[in-house]
Each structure stands twice: as C-alpha cells, then as structure tokens.
Amino acid sequence: MRDFLPEEAKFMKYIEGKARRTAQLYGYGEIITPVLESYELLATKAGEEIRVRMYAFKDLGGRKVALRPEFTASIARLVANVLRNEPKPLRMFCVGSLYRYDEPQQGRFREFWQSNYELMGSIKPEADTEIIMLTNSLMKAAGLKKSVFKVGHVGVLREILSQEKVEDEVQNGIMQLMDKKHYDDALRLVEKAAVSEKCLKTLRRLVKVRGGNVSEVLDKMEGYVEGYERAVDAVRNLREILEFVLDSEEEIDVTVEAGFARGLEYYTGMIFEVYAPEVSTALGGGGRYDKLIELFGGEPTPAVGVAHGIDRIMLAMQKQNTTLEREEEKTVAVIPTKEELKEEELKISRMLRSADISVEVEVMGRKVGKALEDADRRKIDYAIIVGEREMKEGAVVIRNLKRREQKIVKIENLIKIIKGQA
Amino acid sequence: MRDFLPEEAKFMKYIEGKARRTAQLYGYGEIITPVLESYELLATKAGEEIRVRMYAFKDLGGRKVALRPEFTASIARLVANVLRNEPKPLRMFCVGSLYRYDEPQQGRFREFWQSNYELMGSIKPEADTEIIMLTNSLMKAAGLKKSVFKVGHVGVLREILSQEKVEDEVQNGIMQLMDKKHYDDALRLVEKAAVSEKCLKTLRRLVKVRGGNVSEVLDKMEGYVEGYERAVDAVRNLREILEFVLDSEEEIDVTVEAGFARGLEYYTGMIFEVYAPEVSTALGGGGRYDKLIELFGGEPTPAVGVAHGIDRIMLAMQKQNTTLEREEEKTVAVIPTKEELKEEELKISRMLRSADISVEVEVMGRKVGKALEDADRRKIDYAIIVGEREMKEGAVVIRNLKRREQKIVKIENLIKIIKGQA
C-alpha cells in the first residue's frame, strides 16, 4: 500500500477526471459500488489466481467479506438484481480502488485504481468498437502522445478447440498458457488433448500471426482457420469491429494478434489491451463476455467492457512528460505587513477566491520577508502584500514572484492582473 | 453497504469535485492514503467507540490491518514520518471512503465518504478561521441554501476542570456526556470529582449559554469563567477566531454553544459542526487538535482540521432541491436509418465528442422508431438521424426530443445548433 503525495495525487485525480468526462461523452452513467463485498460474490467467478490473493475476512456480524479485486462482480450483481429490468443498452462507468495481495513490483500494487466501463445488452460489433474507441479517447484525453492497441478474439482459438471437442477446463488451461505467452507449452497441452493433425497445424500457424496491417493479418487468420466454421465467424466478427475502428478517422494504432489471450476466463469474443511504449504492463484491457451476467443469476446479457489502470496511465504520462491542463492556473499568497491588517487580508482573499483564484493566507504570523521566502520556495506565482500605506489608497503591493517584480495596484484591479487580462 | 446508481453517484461526485475545488482555492494539496492501514496505527488514538467498530483482520502476511474509520490517523502518520521535515504551514486535503461497523440508520452507513482538510503548524486563530470559512465555502459551492455553524471551544470546560485538578480520564468521561447532551449526568460526574462549589456553579451556568448573537454569548461566557484564567484565554481565543469569521463579509450563520463537546478526545481548542436544517446529523465537523501529531511520534505540531460527510451533504442537497451545474448540458443520440450508414454515424459521433458533446451511438441495431422511443424515455435532448438521402447533401435530420420538432441540417452546423449558438 502506498500514499500519494500532492504531486502524484494531482495526476491520479486528473486521470480520474478525464475518465469521468470520457464516460459522459460516451453516455456512460457512473455508479459507485462498495469496496467491501460478500466473499462469495467476489470469489464465484474470479479465476483461481485472483481468488487466493483476495483480502478476505469475517466482519463483526460473522459474514465472510472481502475487498473487491475487480469491479466486474459488483457490476454483474447490480445488473442481475437491481438493474435486472432496466432497458438495454446499459452503459455503466465506475472508478475506484481495488485490492490484491500481490508481491509488489513495477506498476503493480496491493491497492490500485481503475476506471471501468461496461456496455451491456448489445451483441453488435459496434459495441465492441465503442469500448476500444473510448479507451483511445481516454488515452488521448490523458495527454498520452503514443499508445498501441493489441487486439485479438478468444473465439478464434476456443472455437477450433470446441469443434475438436476439447473440454472447457482443458481449454482454460491452454488459454492461460497462451496468456503467459508460453505457446510451446500451450501447444503441448493441445497435443495431449487428442486433437486432429489439422488442428495442431492450424494452431501452430495461428499463434505466430500478428501485425499492424490489420486487413492482411485478418486475411491470413481467416485462411488458416478454414474448415472451423465458428472460428471463421470469430475472425469475421473481429474484422467488423476493427473496420469500424479504423474507419472512424480517429488516430489509433492497432496490432492484431491471433494467439492473444487474457487471464480471465469469462471472455467470449474480442479482447484487447492498450500499451504505452514506456511501460511494460498494459494500461488497460477488456473485451466481450456474453455469459457472465447469467453466471451471476441474471438474464442472459451480452456485454463488453474495459478497465484502465489509473496508476499505470500516470506512470506512462510521467515517462512521456505529459503536462496537465490547469497547470498554468495562477496561485496567490496574501500577506499582511502587520496583525491589524489581518481582516483586510481575509477580505481580499475572499474576493479573489470568489473569482476562482487559488489563495493562501498567512496563518503563521510571520514577517513579510519570511512569508515571501516561503511562497517563493513553494512556487506561488503572486504575493499580495497588504500594507497600511497602500490600503489608505485602496491599493496593495502585488509581487510577481517568478519575475521578481512588484508594483502597487488598486484592489479592484487585482483579479484582472492575476488572470492576465491587464 | 450500498450502491449508488447514476442519479445519486452524480451528486456524490459533484460534491467531491466541489470539495476538491475548494481545497485548491484555499491552497490545500491533495493526498491519497490507503483504505487499509495497520490496525495498531488506526486503533492507537481512536476512541473506544470507534475502535470496537473497526473492520479489522489479519492479511495474508499475518499482519493485523483494518479499514480506516477516519482520515486523521493516516494523515498524522504522514506528518510524523514522510512529511516530518516539510516546512509549515502544511495544508492537506483528502477525500474517500471510510468504514465503521455501525447499525445503519438515517444518514449513517457502514461505508461512508468524507472530504477532509488539515492545516498543520499554526497556533494562530486565523488558522481556525480558515477551516470554518472553507467549510462555509464548500456548503455554498454545493449549492446549499442554508447551513448553520455550531461553534464551541473545549478549552473552556477543560481548563476549568484542569484548574480544579480533575484527572484527564474523568474529564474525558464528562466531555463524552456533554457531547451526548447529557448535561445533568455530566454535572453529576463533575460533582463526584470533588470540585469547588464555584466550579459547579460556573459549569451549571455555562452549559446553558448558547445563541446566535456571538459577541453577547462570548461576553456572558467570559463573565462566567472569571477566575479560571486559562478558560478565559480559551473564550478570548474563540472570540478572535469568530471575529475574523464574522468580519470576512462572507455570509455565514454561527451559533456559539458553551457546553458543546465533540466525541473525539483529541480536540484541544475550537470545535465546530455544520448543519442543514433538513438533516438531523451534522454535515461536517472539526476543530483544533494540537497534541495529536506528537502522540503519533511526530514533532509537536499544532493543527486544525475538518471532515465533511459527502453522503450527508448529498442528503441536504436533495432535501433542499439543489440543482447541479452542468445539468443543462445537452445530450445526443445518433441513429442510422440502416446498417450501411454505421460508419457515417460513428464519424458524426466522433466529431460531436471532439466538441465536448455527450453522444450515445446506436449499438442495438434497432429501427429508428424504437431507438427514438428509447432516447426519449431516457431524456436525451437531441436525436440525430443519419439517413441516406440527407447524407448525399452532407446533411442529417436533427430532432429536438423535448420540443418534438425536427429539421434537416448540414453536418457542419450540428455543433452550433446543439450548443445553442444557432
């Protein structure tokens, strides 16, 4: 667990704000679910890997609870219950902290923050497209100069294995090895499952197919999976999704990877991750999961969603030297030359704040010189010195701490000067 | 624990945004501390009442941890350690969820949200004033039409008891009864502590002193505590704080209450709470606690702070029918008349979003009529219908769903029309 001091917290909250605005721009309503949920709910559909790393305990009422390791279970609970009869599509956004007892490493912490978007009720490729596009919008809104999408489709591999009658559990094992890029181990597992020669050959070729020339890669994939009808459908579905993406005129960098898998078992269709070149872990990832809501007791509800790691986006922003908006907002310290002018100082502060200007008042009772020194150290832009002589004329001294210039100005002109309109 | 669906989550995040902006306007840097902290840290200074209601457990590493029941311990930890050598004043803001295993009741939940402001390093009354004023600014920023401050000073009662040599623990007991407004029980406890007749008489008169005429109430208090020198100092300190508050030209409603106490034992000076007439529990409360940082192993550091209940502010806003800013932001649904126009639809959506307009695209493949019906139900402002005939002219149909009017417009004029500039 870690603390974020102001410099970093500013980044985190900035990204959260951008994520929220992106949600609004795409019509996603925000929901807030509890950090603490029933253990059973969270454990049911989480993979083994997540389940054993949950912070689980009994509350004072003897109920087994846990800190959420992801948002999906909570959202599925809502969709299966309170929102059961809500007309579709349902677009939902949430953002908050999640918990996993991992060994800390670069970009991975036991408490981490995600923004999460879910689009429920649509089986259409444009729904998948939307989730990819809003992720791209968020990356751009956060000011990232470069991000790359890796896209795949679990249907391609799974449908081949299904047609070869490989059991779901074996499939899960194969997909997990694929996810870890242990392709040889994965193929050995396929071999053991007594599949046809053709299947093995197809998979061997497939796992090597990847590249940024989307239609070329998709052509190749479609050729390779010939004869596996539903796998062909999967490739076509992926093609539809990506055609919408690439035709949208939005700048986006996409790589298709036929052997791409994601750790979680609940994906049923398109899957993707987004990376920044400077960060080794994905900044976000998601995909289609059409069976999950049913598993939580809800109506059959197709769904596609994505989660973004806010701390990882921050890392990428820092490595890309991204500048935040509002960074240029001016800050002011107001300093009275003596105790008796405290009230005047407070009045001026209030006036400036009403004009949406950030103001620090002097609360240490320091001499002007000391207070100025401190304001300078903390990179405040302007000091306003409230002195008796000037006050008699309805004026104060304003000092530009960066330029080390000062002048006497009428109080009524202060706001204009600070806002740079005078 | 509860979920917040979009209608309520919007309020929560709106208040959080206002709290953040208030922090910026007063120069408070945001920090983020973990939800999960060491049990020992959280338990050390929490009163018994809070301690027994903590969500505490052992993590997978065998370390005893708990969900934070308040922010103060985490902040004290930071100030005592990482920020130990940071020059003062230190202004810190944080916002997040807190956890107490209480019996749920109106305005009280097991998971609740607070915004928290701490000003460290100043013993001056203007520091206390600042904390009251920023609370007032937040209430106004949240759009509350009416809020009332109840202000007191624990020094008044405690210094009398100290001068009468009443032990700290007995004092704590007395203050707790005062906090619960059990004045008779409190006075009986005072009697048992073998204090002077004068002390009893003073306290009996004091607990009845309250009112909105601040200087009159303070005069009365100062008269009553005569002979208890440090209690007189406490009243004078309170007078200084409140004179700054009332002279600030900010509209504020203050009631002084001499017998006012707050549950937590760490307060050493001015204390206050803010109420809305429509909600029985306080929307926020705070005060001065000059000894706490030391108790956490830090340098002696005077401090004053406040915490606001975000869910309670929401309750007050709802009861006062507060309208949120940005509520008037226009929303748009883009609907193609047939599948083949999907790409055009996505391009138009993208263009509108680039202009900061909220857009929902059609992802259900519904006929125009159905999609319009749904947009209407969800109170969308405009529907843009992308049809083949109009597209040939570079135009679309825009339908004002509230006025039930529609017209054909050129795509390049859409943004202006939706933003109301045409």
Side-chain angles (χ1 to χ4, degrees):
Chain A
M1 306 273 166
R2 53 200 155 141
D3 300 303
F4 295 87
L5 296 180
E7 206 44 51
E8 284 201 322
K10 199 163 62 182
F11 266 91
M12 296 289 287
K13 294 302 170 175
Y14 182 81
I15 300 164
E16 184 180 323
K18 291 297 183 187
R20 180 164 295 117
R21 188 62 195 147
T22 301
Q24 285 161 349
L25 286 175
Y26 282 81
Y28 286 65
E30 183 161 3
I31 54 172
I32 305 174
T33 62
V35 163
L36 205 62
E37 292 262 15
S38 115
Y39 173 81
E40 212 187 332
L41 174 89
L42 296 175
T44 311
K45 289 301 137 204
E48 175 69 7
E49 218 175 316
I50 289 182
R51 190 162 48 236
V52 298
R53 289 175 179 173
M54 266 167 33
Y55 283 90
F57 61 101
K58 280 200 175 145
D59 72 12
L60 289 170
R63 191 161 166 264
K64 194 156 185 199
V65 291
L67 302 185
R68 61 186 178 198
E70 54 176 13
F71 281 117
T72 314
S74 307
I75 290 162
R77 170 178 59 73
L78 275 180
V79 174
N81 298 296
V82 195
L83 301 174
R84 193 179 194 102
N85 298 316
E86 201 68 12
K88 307 292 176 298
L90 208 50
R91 290 179 169 96
M92 286 174 297
F93 164 69
C94 53
V95 60
S97 54
L98 305 164
Y99 301 83
R100 291 185 200 169
Y101 194 83
D102 276 328
E103 285 318 308
Q105 49 175 295
Q106 201 223 17
R108 269 186 213 275
F109 291 89
R110 289 180 181 170
E111 179 176 55
F112 55 100
W113 278 259
Q114 283 187 350
S115 58
N116 193 90
Y117 303 73
E118 315 276 350
L119 172 44
M120 304 262 173
S122 169
I123 52 160
K124 294 272 182 180
E126 49 263 42
D128 303 69
T129 302
E130 177 164 305
I131 289 290
I132 295 176
M133 295 314 289
L134 72 79
T135 297
N136 194 44
S137 295
L138 175 56
M139 297 301 132
K140 289 200 178 352
L144 286 183
K145 284 152 210 134
K146 191 156 172 53
S147 59
V148 186
F149 285 76
K150 182 165 95 178
V151 187
H153 197 299
V154 297
V156 181
L157 300 176
R158 284 208 184 253
E159 295 295 359
I160 293 172
L161 296 171
S162 293
Q163 195 168 327
E164 294 275 343
K165 309 243 180 303
V166 177
E167 275 171 38
D168 276 1
E169 242 166 69
V170 180
Q171 284 191 26
N172 292 345
I174 294 166
M175 297 305 269
Q176 266 161 34
L177 288 169
M178 290 272 190
D179 177 36
K180 297 205 168 76
K181 299 188 170 49
H182 298 164
Y183 300 115
D184 290 342
D185 294 344
L187 288 169
R188 260 192 292 278
L189 213 56
V190 174
E191 235 177 317
K192 269 208 259 173
V195 298
S196 69
E197 255 317 300
K198 182 188 167 195
C199 172
L200 261 176
K201 192 178 148 203
T202 304
L203 292 179
R204 273 200 203 104
R205 292 166 82 181
L206 266 183
V207 297
K208 287 182 201 137
V209 181
R210 69 189 62 179
N213 187 331
V214 173
S215 66
E216 198 185 289
V217 174
L218 290 170
D219 287 347
K220 217 181 260 183
M221 282 168 72
E222 200 168 332
Y224 289 169
V225 301
E226 218 194 304
Y228 294 100
E229 267 174 52
R230 294 171 61 119
V232 172
D233 288 345
V235 177
R236 287 184 183 156
N237 175 244
L238 186 56
R239 192 189 296 272
E240 280 190 286
I241 294 164
L242 290 178
E243 273 175 359
F244 284 137
V245 167
L246 297 172
D247 287 346
S248 73
E249 291 181 354
E250 178 108 14
E251 214 183 297
I252 185 167
D253 193 339
V254 176
T255 296
V256 175
E257 210 176 295
F260 176 33
R262 300 202 75 217
L264 302 169
E265 284 161 20
Y266 51 65
Y267 290 112
T268 57
M270 181 278 295
I271 52 171
F272 75 102
E273 283 174 350
V274 59
Y275 287 86
E278 300 82 0
V279 180
S280 60
T281 48
L283 306 187
R288 176 168 286 281
Y289 52 98
D290 286 346
K291 304 282 179 217
L292 194 72
I293 301 301
E294 254 177 291
L295 289 174
F296 278 92
E299 303 289 332
T301 308
V304 51
V306 62
H308 310 110
I310 293 184
D311 17 16
R312 294 185 188 176
I313 296 175
M314 174 173 73
L315 198 62
M317 287 169 75
Q318 288 169 337
K319 293 203 173 179
Q320 294 190 7
N321 291 317
T322 311
T323 45
L324 310 188
E325 288 161 19
R326 253 194 188 277
E327 195 91 287
E328 64 298 353
E329 196 185 3
K330 296 287 179 263
T331 50
V332 175
V334 187
I335 308 163
T337 55
K338 52 181 193 171
E339 285 280 305
E340 291 70 29
L341 292 163
K342 200 74 216 166
E343 275 166 29
E344 305 303 333
E345 181 204 2
L346 293 179
K347 276 179 199 166
I348 291 168
S349 306
R350 182 186 170 236
M351 178 192 79
L352 296 177
R353 288 188 190 119
S354 315
D356 211 33
I357 294 167
S358 233
V359 180
E360 293 185 18
V361 306
E362 175 55 29
V363 290
M364 302 298 283
R366 294 172 295 198
K367 293 234 155 57
V368 175
K370 273 270 179 228
L372 278 176
E373 219 172 81
D374 185 44
D376 202 32
R377 181 185 61 78
R378 288 181 308 109
K379 302 197 170 61
I380 302 277
D381 296 289
Y382 293 101
I384 291 167
I385 303 156
V386 183
E388 200 162 24
R389 201 153 24 117
E390 293 82 10
M391 277 306 291
K392 280 190 186 132
E393 318 280 316
V396 289
V397 172
I398 182 166
R399 185 174 171 81
N400 185 320
L401 290 167
K402 299 216 162 122
R403 293 203 207 138
R404 303 181 173 281
E405 294 167 0
Q406 67 180 48
K407 58 182 173 185
I408 297 172
V409 299
K410 293 276 181 202
I411 292 173
E412 65 250 39
N413 296 328
L414 268 180
I415 294 173
K416 271 193 198 161
I417 290 170
I418 293 163
K419 293 206 161 178
Q421 296 150 353
Chain B
M1 306 273 166
R2 57 204 152 135
D3 300 304
F4 295 87
L5 296 180
E7 206 44 51
E8 284 202 321
K10 199 163 62 181
F11 266 91
M12 295 289 286
K13 294 301 172 178
Y14 183 80
I15 300 164
E16 184 180 321
K18 292 297 182 186
R20 180 164 294 117
R21 187 63 193 147
T22 302
Q24 285 161 349
L25 287 176
Y26 281 81
Y28 286 65
E30 182 160 4
I31 54 174
I32 305 173
T33 62
V35 163
L36 204 62
E37 293 262 14
S38 115
Y39 173 80
E40 213 187 330
L41 175 88
L42 296 175
T44 311
K45 291 300 135 202
E48 175 69 8
E49 218 174 317
I50 290 181
R51 191 163 44 237
V52 299
R53 288 175 179 173
M54 268 167 30
Y55 283 91
F57 62 100
K58 282 202 173 142
D59 72 11
L60 288 170
R63 191 162 165 263
K64 194 157 185 200
V65 291
L67 302 185
R68 60 185 179 199
E70 54 177 12
F71 281 118
T72 314
S74 308
I75 291 162
R77 171 177 61 70
L78 275 180
V79 174
N81 298 296
V82 195
L83 301 173
R84 194 178 193 101
N85 299 314
E86 200 69 13
K88 306 293 176 301
L90 209 51
R91 289 180 168 96
M92 285 174 299
F93 163 70
C94 52
V95 60
S97 54
L98 304 164
Y99 302 84
R100 291 186 200 170
Y101 194 82
D102 277 326
E103 286 317 308
Q105 49 176 294
Q106 200 221 20
R108 271 186 212 275
F109 290 90
R110 291 181 179 169
E111 178 176 55
F112 54 101
W113 277 260
Q114 283 188 349
S115 58
N116 192 90
Y117 304 72
E118 316 275 351
L119 171 44
M120 304 263 173
S122 169
I123 52 161
K124 295 271 182 182
E126 50 262 42
D128 303 70
T129 303
E130 177 164 305
I131 290 291
I132 295 175
M133 295 313 291
L134 71 79
T135 297
N136 194 43
S137 294
L138 175 56
M139 297 301 131
K140 290 202 179 346
L144 286 184
K145 283 153 210 133
K146 192 158 170 53
S147 60
V148 186
F149 284 77
K150 182 164 94 176
V151 187
H153 196 299
V154 297
V156 180
L157 300 176
R158 284 209 184 251
E159 294 295 357
I160 294 171
L161 296 171
S162 293
Q163 196 169 325
E164 295 275 342
K165 308 243 181 302
V166 177
E167 275 171 37
D168 276 4
E169 243 166 68
V170 181
Q171 283 190 28
N172 292 345
I174 295 167
M175 298 303 271
Q176 265 163 34
L177 288 169
M178 291 272 190
D179 177 37
K180 297 205 168 78
K181 297 189 173 48
H182 300 163
Y183 301 115
D184 291 342
D185 295 343
L187 289 169
R188 262 192 290 280
L189 214 56
V190 174
E191 234 176 319
K192 270 208 257 173
V195 298
S196 68
E197 255 318 301
K198 183 189 167 196
C199 172
L200 261 176
K201 192 176 146 204
T202 304
L203 291 179
R204 273 199 203 105
R205 293 166 83 182
L206 266 182
V207 297
K208 286 181 201 138
V209 181
R210 69 189 63 179
N213 186 331
V214 172
S215 66
E216 199 184 288
V217 173
L218 290 171
D219 287 346
K220 216 180 261 183
M221 282 169 71
E222 201 169 330
Y224 289 168
V225 301
E226 217 194 305
Y228 294 101
E229 266 174 51
R230 294 170 62 118
V232 173
D233 288 346
V235 177
R236 288 186 181 152
N237 175 244
L238 186 56
R239 192 189 296 272
E240 281 191 285
I241 295 164
L242 290 178
E243 274 175 358
F244 285 137
V245 167
L246 296 172
D247 287 346
S248 73
E249 292 182 350
E250 178 107 14
E251 213 184 298
I252 185 165
D253 194 338
V254 176
T255 296
V256 176
E257 210 176 295
F260 177 34
R262 299 202 76 216
L264 301 169
E265 284 159 22
Y266 51 67
Y267 290 112
T268 57
M270 180 278 295
I271 52 171
F272 75 101
E273 283 175 352
V274 59
Y275 288 86
E278 299 82 1
V279 180
S280 59
T281 48
L283 306 187
R288 176 169 285 281
Y289 52 97
D290 286 346
K291 306 282 178 218
L292 194 73
I293 302 301
E294 254 175 291
L295 289 174
F296 278 93
E299 303 288 334
T301 307
V304 51
V306 62
H308 309 110
I310 293 183
D311 17 17
R312 294 185 188 176
I313 296 174
M314 175 174 74
L315 199 62
M317 288 170 73
Q318 288 168 337
K319 292 203 173 177
Q320 294 191 7
N321 291 317
T322 310
T323 45
L324 309 188
E325 290 160 19
R326 251 194 189 278
E327 196 91 287
E328 65 295 357
E329 198 184 3
K330 296 285 180 266
T331 49
V332 176
V334 187
I335 308 163
T337 55
K338 52 181 196 173
E339 283 280 306
E340 291 69 28
L341 292 162
K342 199 74 215 165
E343 274 166 32
E344 306 302 333
E345 179 203 5
L346 292 179
K347 275 180 199 167
I348 291 168
S349 306
R350 184 189 167 232
M351 177 192 78
L352 296 177
R353 287 187 190 122
S354 315
D356 211 35
I357 294 168
S358 231
V359 181
E360 292 184 19
V361 305
E362 175 54 28
V363 290
M364 303 298 283
R366 295 173 293 200
K367 292 232 155 56
V368 175
K370 271 271 177 229
L372 277 176
E373 219 173 82
D374 185 43
D376 202 32
R377 180 186 62 79
R378 289 182 307 108
K379 303 195 169 59
I380 302 276
D381 296 287
Y382 293 101
I384 291 168
I385 302 156
V386 183
E388 199 160 26
R389 201 152 26 116
E390 293 83 10
M391 277 306 292
K392 277 186 188 137
E393 317 281 315
V396 289
V397 171
I398 181 165
R399 184 173 171 83
N400 185 321
L401 291 168
K402 298 215 161 126
R403 293 204 208 140
R404 302 182 175 280
E405 295 167 1
Q406 67 180 49
K407 57 183 174 184
I408 298 173
V409 298
K410 292 278 181 198
I411 291 172
E412 65 253 38
N413 296 329
L414 268 181
I415 293 172
K416 271 193 200 163
I417 290 170
I418 293 163
K419 293 207 161 179
Q421 296 151 353

